[in-house]
């Protein structure tokens, strides 16, 4: 939630910085981003929610955190209610403009944040009003989150090429023609040719991912091909393109992994071979090993693809001596285009074990995409306009004058 | 601090989760791929009542194994997915299902996204309409990206 | 103008919800059987597998059904109280030995005492699932008409008895 609010914040700041607009949005988003991280602390430490993230929960501590929340969040929001109305300014913009797209950005990210917050708190709210104990989990969150986020991903591509104040739509369409075509072709071809399947959500996600990749390259490519003497891209603009390229990778990763992940539970004995997702897995041997604070059964699994050796994985089933609890160490072969995962389950008798095998295509794109988003942010933050002292003081007086 | 059985259970589950532990049945449950798919889908949508943030497909708790066994039995008996869900809800309440079913109570949850989107559209339309008629020229701020 | 107040009002509305939440256990499940007929069951007796024990044994009477196991720490904690309970009150206490080892359960009762009229041996947990059991110990109060009056999750003690069970019992006795 703080991440979503923070993303909306940095984009809303662009409008505030450029045109002095959306000031109350920017303020509220800044307050929200911090408040949501405080709220997160409260939720996991107070014991009011069932969560894997909850630890050392203590209602007594929870009361103190809640009191802290009241002071900080209540104070900030009250101040906002009191002073924000004075922030309006008179600048305008036409319907097709960067301001409109950033407004859309704000609204859609706020919707996503509100849905996650509502979903997380709804079991608590239902119980408080005695409406019974309800259940909410990944099935609901995935659908609810996709509803604002899928349109957002598509709009990012358009908005980043839209001018401030007003944008002639023909020029925009001309710029976006080629990326749109690339996106549609790639978005249809990749699932069909590389993974052998199509589907509405799958294609929507793939087209969205390729759309962002293509659209993020438009400005850098144009800047690279410009005639010498014309201005290149600012770091801020380059950072934006890099970051949005990262979002495209992330989107592709999520879409492909959700659609094509293969998970199978099989029973295996040493010497046995199974085929999963085009790979052959052979359980060579099982042996007992002694670790520093555990005993383990380790399996040696050879992985092949079309007969060619890929790797040897060694999943373990450990029993830690002190807790006497079983833990699984998976064997993972990571690659840019897929992860292969093997884990031991339970011994089935007669030297047979249940084994879980997973094939996760493009899952590393999720991490890579996030890393590139961060890189884009750092490039943008290193833009000259944040480092020039004279310009900085001009900016300060400019903004101060606005808030009167 | 009052005694919480839940905390004891949570500890067990956390320890199991931390190691990426997965519960695995004794081999594949059904030879028929359609039944197997139904079984996997159902077990993915039922909450483990002991380790409450895991599905019974993933949980190592014995209760999860018991529930998986019951679901296998019910599928083998020819019950429909709805009947199986009713069986679980009758015993554990709606909380047993990860995906809340449509009912008066949970309607709010399912229409909330759409309601928010409509509110969002209204907000956007109002702001854009308001700003359309305002002057484009202003005493320009810094050059943004 | 008023829209600037929305955020702080929304936050203020959440505060009482949070305060409410601090006082309860979020993983506790209300039993869907409260006010409904208790599930019927028949199990082989723990002590004598050739005999059975089940819901027919207490039909028409007020009864307590306690789900227990030797691996359950809370059951050990409440065992002393259960012995007192079965001695002092004249409500029959039936046990369901849940997912346990028969020999260990018999040893446990021999060593610590047996508060139960009889315990059923639920080795595969099927009856536990039918009763919506998800953790031990669980104690059900069944009315004479067979409806579940109350379910308690966790070890039983005198203050919980007085707070939750006694009022329900009093209500039953009034009706009789």
């Amino acid at each position: 939630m703080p991440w979503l609010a923070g993303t909306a914040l940095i984009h809303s700041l662009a409008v505030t910085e450029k045109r002095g607009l959306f000031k109350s949005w920017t303020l509220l988003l800044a307050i929200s981003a911090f408040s949501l991280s405080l709220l997160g602390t409260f939720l996991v430490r107070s014991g009011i929610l069932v969560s894997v993230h909850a630890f050392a929960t203590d209602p007594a501590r929870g009361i103190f955190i809640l009191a802290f929340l009241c002071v900080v969040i209540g104070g900030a929001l009250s101040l906002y209610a009191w002073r924000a109305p004075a922030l309006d300014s008179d600048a305008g913009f036409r319907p097709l403009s960067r301001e409109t797209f950033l407004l859309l950005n704000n609204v859609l990210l706020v919707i996503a944040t509100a849905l996650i917050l509502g979903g997380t708190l709804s079991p608590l709210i239902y119980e408080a009003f005695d409406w019974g104990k309800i259940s909410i989990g990944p099935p609901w969150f995935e659908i609810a989150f996709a509803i604002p986020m899928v349109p957002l991903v598509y709009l990012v591509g358009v908005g980043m090429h839209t001018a401030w104040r007003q944008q002639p739509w023909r020029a925009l369409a001309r710029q976006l023609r080629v990326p749109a075509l690339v996106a549609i072709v790639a978005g249809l071809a990749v699932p069909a040719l590389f993974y052998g399947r199509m589907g509405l959500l799958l294609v929507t996600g793939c087209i969205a991912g390729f759309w962002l990749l293509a659209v993020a390259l438009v400005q850098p490519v144009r800047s690279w091909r410009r005639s010498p003497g014309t201005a290149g891209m600012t770091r801020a603009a380059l950072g934006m393109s890099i970051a949005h390229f990262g979002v495209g990778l992330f989107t592709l990763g999520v879409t492909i992994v959700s659609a094509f992940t293969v998970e199978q539970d099989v029973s295996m004995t040493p010497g046995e071979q199974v085929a999963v997702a085009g790979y052959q897995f052979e359980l060579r041997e099982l042996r007992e090993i002694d670790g520093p604070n555990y005993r383990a059964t380790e399996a040696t699994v050879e992985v092949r693809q079309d007969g060619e050796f890929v790797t040897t994985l060694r999943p373990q089933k450990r029993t830690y001596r002190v807790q006497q609890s079983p833990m699984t160490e998976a064997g993972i072969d990571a690659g840019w285009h897929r992860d292969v995962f093997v884990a031991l389950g339970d011994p089935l008798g007669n030297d047979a074990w249940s084994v879980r095998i997973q094939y996760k295509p493009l899952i590393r794109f999720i991490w890579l995409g996030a890393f590139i988003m961060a890189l884009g942010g750092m490039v943008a933050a290193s833009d000259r306009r944040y480092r020039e002292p004279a310009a900085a003081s001009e900016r300060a007086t400019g903004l101060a004058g606005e808030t009167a | 601090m009052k005694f919480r059985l839940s905390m004891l259970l949570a500890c067990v589950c956390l320890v199991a989760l931390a190691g990426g532990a997965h519960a695995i049945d004794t081999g594949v449950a059904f030879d028929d791929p359609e039944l197997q798919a139904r079984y996997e889908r159902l077990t993915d949508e039922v909450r483990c009542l002991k380790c409450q943030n895991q599905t019974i497909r993933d949980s190592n708790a014995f209760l999860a194994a018991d529930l998986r066994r019951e679901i296998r039995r019910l599928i083998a008996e020819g019950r429909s997915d709805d009947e199986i869900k009713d069986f679980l809800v009758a015993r554990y309440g709606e909380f047993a299902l990860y995906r809340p079913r449509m009912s008066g109570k949970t309607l709010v949850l399912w229409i909330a996204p759409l309601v928010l989107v409509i509110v969002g559209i209204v907000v956007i339309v109002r702001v854009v309409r308001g700003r359309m008629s305002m002057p484009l020229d202003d005493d320009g701020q810094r050059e943004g990206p | 103008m008023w829209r600037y107040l929305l955020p702080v009002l929304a936050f203020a509305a959440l505060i009482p919800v949070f305060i409410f939440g601090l006082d309860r256990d979020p993983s506790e499940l209300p039993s869907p059987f409260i006010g409904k007929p208790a599930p019927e069951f028949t199990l082989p007796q723990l002590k004598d597998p050739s005999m059975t024990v089940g819901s027919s044994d207490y039909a028409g009477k007020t009864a307590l059904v306690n789900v227990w196991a030797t691996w359950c720490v809370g059951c050990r904690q409440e065992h002393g109280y259960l012995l007192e309970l079965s001695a002092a009150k004249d409500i029959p206490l039936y046990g369901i030995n849940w997912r346990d080892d028969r020999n260990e359960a018999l040893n446990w009762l021999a060593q610590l005492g047996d508060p139960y009229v009889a315990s059923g041996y639920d080795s595969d947990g099927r009856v536990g699932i039918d009763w919506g059991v998800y953790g031990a110990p669980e104690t059900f109060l069944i009315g004479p008409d067979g409806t579940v009056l109350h379910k308690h999750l966790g070890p039983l003690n005198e203050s919980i008895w007085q707070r939750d069970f006694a009022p329900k019992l009093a209500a039953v006795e009034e009706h009789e």
Side-chain angles (χ1 to χ4, degrees):
Chain A
M1 292 187 282
W3 185 86
L4 291 169
T7 304
L9 172 65
I10 59 180
H11 290 84
S12 188
L13 260 174
V15 186
T16 303
E17 225 188 345
K18 176 79 177 166
R19 311 236 21 242
L21 286 173
F22 295 178
K23 286 200 188 110
S24 51
W25 274 99
T26 302
L27 251 183
L28 188 58
L29 287 168
I31 296 175
S32 303
F34 184 60
S35 303
L36 287 167
S37 50
L38 285 182
L39 184 66
T41 305
F42 174 70
L43 290 178
V44 302
R45 298 305 293 269
S46 63
I48 65 172
L49 290 181
V50 171
S51 169
V52 288
H53 305 290
F55 64 105
T57 55
D58 179 1
R61 188 181 296 125
I63 278 279
F64 280 106
I65 302 180
L66 187 58
F68 182 64
L69 286 188
C70 287
V71 169
V72 173
I73 303 179
L77 290 177
S78 304
L79 196 60
Y80 170 83
W82 176 36
R83 301 285 281 155
L87 290 177
D88 279 347
S89 74
D90 266 346
F93 53 89
R94 298 288 173 268
L96 189 64
S97 62
R98 187 170 287 207
E99 288 89 331
T100 301
F101 279 95
L102 287 171
L103 178 64
L104 277 162
N105 173 286
N106 278 0
V107 166
L108 289 172
L109 282 171
V110 165
I111 290 177
T113 310
L115 284 173
I116 295 181
L117 181 62
T120 305
L121 292 179
S122 57
L124 183 57
I125 296 174
Y126 269 72
E127 269 200 71
F129 287 98
D130 213 13
W131 293 335
K133 184 120 182 163
I134 59 149
S135 168
I136 196 156
W140 184 87
F141 280 104
E142 281 167 14
I143 297 174
F145 190 66
I147 288 175
M149 294 305 273
V150 170
L152 180 65
V153 170
Y154 279 95
L155 289 170
V156 166
V158 184
M160 66 189 279
H161 293 290
T162 308
W164 294 101
R165 297 185 182 83
Q166 60 183 3
Q167 167 72 46
W169 70 269
R170 265 183 240 276
L172 184 64
R174 220 183 353 221
Q175 262 202 352
L176 298 179
R177 259 192 326 225
V178 170
L181 195 62
V182 167
I184 293 175
V185 168
L188 289 169
V190 165
L193 297 178
F194 284 80
Y195 297 97
R197 195 154 59 82
M198 306 278 267
L200 182 62
L201 272 178
L202 167 63
V203 167
T204 306
C206 283
I207 293 180
F210 283 112
W211 164 243
L212 279 178
L213 293 181
V215 124
L217 289 173
V218 168
Q219 277 186 328
V221 164
R222 192 167 358 123
S223 167
W224 179 55
R225 289 160 80 197
R226 76 189 185 284
S227 39
T230 49
M233 286 179 87
T234 58
R235 283 212 194 157
L238 182 63
M240 174 183 77
S241 296
I242 294 174
H244 290 166
F245 188 85
V247 180
L249 286 177
F250 179 88
T251 305
L252 270 181
V254 168
T255 306
I256 297 283
V257 140
S258 314
F260 295 113
T261 197
V262 176
E263 204 177 272
Q264 262 184 41
D265 301 334
V266 292
S267 154
M268 292 182 86
T269 51
E272 208 178 313
Q273 212 188 55
V274 292
V276 173
Y279 289 85
Q280 293 84 42
F281 298 85
E282 186 186 339
L283 177 60
R284 295 306 297 270
E285 60 163 356
L286 285 163
R287 58 196 184 114
E288 298 289 315
I289 62 171
D290 253 326
N293 55 342
Y294 60 86
R295 274 196 66 79
T297 305
E298 186 182 87
T300 306
V301 177
E302 274 189 19
V303 184
R304 286 191 171 69
Q305 191 179 29
D306 298 328
E308 287 213 13
F309 178 77
V310 173
T311 186
T312 305
L313 295 173
R314 291 179 208 281
Q316 289 179 352
K317 189 80 171 197
R318 296 183 182 176
T319 306
Y320 284 87
R321 289 185 231 275
V322 175
Q323 288 250 350
Q324 286 297 306
S325 49
M327 293 254 279
T328 306
E329 285 291 311
I332 301 180
D333 182 46
W336 288 116
H337 60 296
R338 92 290 180 274
D339 270 19
V340 168
F341 166 110
V342 177
L344 285 176
D346 297 308
L348 304 176
N350 297 330
D351 231 8
W353 277 73
S354 61
V355 179
R356 175 166 286 185
I357 298 175
Q358 288 183 9
Y359 164 79
K360 301 265 183 198
L362 289 194
I363 197 166
R364 301 278 149 174
F365 270 38
I366 296 177
W367 306 110
L368 181 64
F371 178 75
I372 291 181
M373 282 188 239
L375 193 67
M378 288 194 286
V379 168
S382 69
D383 187 274
R384 213 167 347 133
R385 79 185 199 273
Y386 296 117
R387 289 182 280 127
E388 285 172 354
S393 62
E394 178 205 302
R395 187 161 43 100
T397 46
L399 277 178
E402 276 287 312
T403 46
Chain B
M1 183 171 86
K2 66 181 187 198
F3 174 87
R4 295 232 176 137
L5 183 67
S6 58
M7 282 187 48
L8 194 66
L9 301 177
C11 296
V12 172
C13 300
L14 275 176
V15 163
L17 278 176
H22 287 279
I24 301 173
D25 279 322
T26 53
V28 172
F30 292 98
D31 284 328
D32 180 347
E34 246 188 66
L35 291 180
Q36 177 67 16
R38 268 184 71 200
Y39 172 68
E40 285 177 7
R41 204 179 44 239
L42 275 170
T43 50
D44 240 344
E45 284 193 20
V46 175
R47 186 187 300 268
C48 170
L49 284 320
K50 205 153 179 176
C51 299
Q52 293 183 352
N53 269 305
Q54 285 184 297
T55 60
I56 57 175
R57 184 144 190 257
D58 286 333
S59 171
N60 267 320
F62 72 73
L63 180 62
D66 287 353
L67 288 170
R68 289 198 300 272
R69 186 196 60 219
E70 290 301 296
I71 292 181
R72 284 202 296 277
R73 177 178 66 88
L74 291 167
I75 293 180
E77 279 177 14
R79 304 298 182 101
S80 71
D81 282 3
D82 274 336
E83 285 176 315
I84 294 176
K85 288 185 187 170
D86 284 339
F87 174 92
L88 292 165
V89 168
R91 285 154 180 74
Y92 291 98
E94 286 282 334
F95 194 63
L97 301 177
Y98 242 27
R99 183 200 298 255
R101 300 197 287 188
M102 280 290 258
S103 71
K105 278 192 308 184
T106 57
L107 197 64
V108 164
L109 285 175
W110 287 110
I111 62 175
L114 301 168
V115 165
L116 284 181
V117 166
I118 293 174
V119 169
I121 293 176
V122 166
V123 165
I124 292 168
V125 165
R126 285 178 57 169
V127 171
V128 171
R129 278 237 203 98
R131 294 284 164 183
M132 253 170 77
S133 42
M134 287 180 166
L136 289 181
D137 295 320
D138 40 79
D139 44 85
Q141 305 288 310
R142 290 214 72 72
E143 284 300 304
Chain C
M1 179 59 224
W2 52 269
R3 68 180 196 270
Y4 294 99
L5 281 171
L6 275 181
V8 68
L9 290 178
F11 178 68
L14 278 177
I15 303 284
V17 174
F18 290 144
I19 294 179
F20 164 80
L22 281 175
D23 205 30
R24 42 168 271 299
D25 180 355
S27 66
E28 202 171 294
L29 279 173
S31 171
F33 293 110
I34 306 271
K36 298 222 183 77
E40 307 206 330
F41 75 99
T42 313
L43 283 173
Q45 279 193 28
L46 183 65
K47 290 189 167 166
D48 184 356
S50 64
M51 308 231 305
T52 62
V53 60
S55 39
S56 49
D57 289 339
Y58 53 77
K61 291 188 281 193
T62 309
L64 286 167
V65 174
N66 174 259
V67 177
W68 64 279
T70 55
W71 45 260
C72 153
V73 175
C75 304
R76 184 74 175 79
Q77 284 179 347
E78 73 170 1
H79 198 81
Y81 181 69
L82 289 181
L83 285 167
E84 283 176 34
L85 197 60
S86 62
K89 321 261 193 252
D90 55 357
I91 306 169
L93 176 65
Y94 290 85
I96 297 180
N97 182 234
W98 188 48
R99 284 296 232 109
D100 208 349
D101 177 271
R102 178 174 241 124
N103 289 327
E104 287 192 21
L106 289 169
N107 285 340
W108 156 295
L109 289 180
Q111 274 178 7
L112 302 173
D114 188 356
Y116 305 106
V117 170
S119 276
Y121 181 56
D122 185 18
S123 59
D124 62 2
R126 186 82 67 88
V127 170
I129 290 179
D130 277 339
W131 281 68
V133 172
Y134 67 100
E138 288 191 15
T139 309
F140 294 80
L141 177 64
I142 321 274
D145 57 352
T147 53
V148 174
L149 298 174
H150 187 69
K151 177 190 110 157
H152 181 75
L153 174 74
L156 209 51
N157 59 40
E158 182 63 21
S159 57
I160 293 173
W161 178 267
Q162 290 304 332
R163 187 189 71 195
D164 295 332
F165 287 76
K168 302 265 165 48
L169 274 172
V172 164
E173 266 146 37
E174 268 180 32
H175 281 212
E176 283 174 343

